[in-house]
Amino acid sequence: MNHTITTTQFNFPGQKSVYRGKVREVYHLENDLLVMIATDRLSAFDVVMPKGIPYKGQILNQIATKFMQQTEDIVPNWLIATPDPNVAIGHLCEPFKVEMVIRGYLAGHASREYKAGKRILCGVALPEGMKENDIFPHPIITPATKAENGEHDEDISKEEIIRRGIVSEEDYALLEKYTYALFARGSEIAAKRGLILVDTKYEFGKTKDGQIVLIDEIHTPDSSRYFYKEGYDERQEKGEPQKQLSKEFVRQWLISNGFQGKEGQQVPEMTDAYVLSVSERYIELYENIIGEKFVKADVSNIQERIFNNVINYLSTNPLSK
């Protein structure tokens, strides 16, 4: 019995192609439908780890779909339905080749760059005298180009994106507006849960009629970093690490085991006990971010469950005919 799903080989009715990302597999069907399956793969430093994490795909999919519903008044999104805990079905879009990364605090990658002496990140000037996890005077957008074929995402400035024609000036203005608005809403929801939304990334695409919509995931622990609000000020004052909810704990574990995704480095062995601890952390993330108890889906045969739920949806939904 396999209790994780790390790859799929489905053949759905009207299937045209399959795209396999770092953690999601996207099936393109007729009628411009996409079936996105959130697997249990774990990615860090743009490298997929050798073992799947039980329930991770379900957690990411359910967080993303809940936040899509809570932000659809701000920005239209690609989502139509979630017929299975690991599955989202939505409209085919042409993705923009940039990730809109927005940061409210000096943490993670930004902090590592700052410590290395950089004071300009993606064309944005960073204030002097900041320490790790300090709040920025106002949120900053630090875009990245989307990596292909397992390469690292690349920091890029707004000016460079427009100069290289990756996104038009007009479209970028809307992406920027949506990014600030989504981050404000995400921060507001997080605050109600006793959390701080530290940084996150959004991805956008265009539908065939030219509408810009939010795609992929939103406010999940894979795409976002959260701190616990309680004790934040005291920890900053004392120079202590912040208590956080994100997959940064995986990155820190890898760094402490000599791995940062650089050439020649080996992924450290992930024991079953460590894999289970990561799963438990993801469940904790879900319950804190969503404010509800996590209900584990039946994992006795995940592949069969997903296939049957998608087929049932496609056969009964008029959009898929």
Side-chain angles (χ1 to χ4, degrees), residues 226-238:
Y226 292 89
F227 291 156
Y228 285 93
K229 206 160 124 191
E230 192 183 341
Y232 166 82
D233 292 328
E234 293 85 341
R235 284 189 284 273
Q236 276 307 93
E237 223 167 88
K238 293 175 184 170

Side-chain angles (χ1 to χ4, degrees), residues 106-155:
L106 182 68
H109 172 66
S111 173
R112 289 190 281 271
E113 294 289 277
Y114 196 88
K115 276 181 189 163
K118 286 195 181 174
R119 291 297 178 267
I120 292 183
L121 186 61
C122 302
V124 180
L126 306 177
E128 285 292 344
M130 290 187 77
K131 60 180 191 289
E132 187 171 9
N133 301 330
D134 275 352
I135 187 169
F136 286 119
H138 51 79
I140 62 170
I141 293 176
T142 58
T145 55
K146 280 174 66 70
E148 290 180 28
N149 306 322
E151 293 169 14
H152 288 281
D153 295 344
E154 176 202 344
D155 287 345

Side-chain angles (χ1 to χ4, degrees), residues 27-39:
Y27 289 79
H28 176 196
L29 311 188
E30 289 169 351
N31 298 336
D32 293 325
L33 277 187
L34 291 183
V35 176
M36 185 184 282
I37 296 164
T39 72

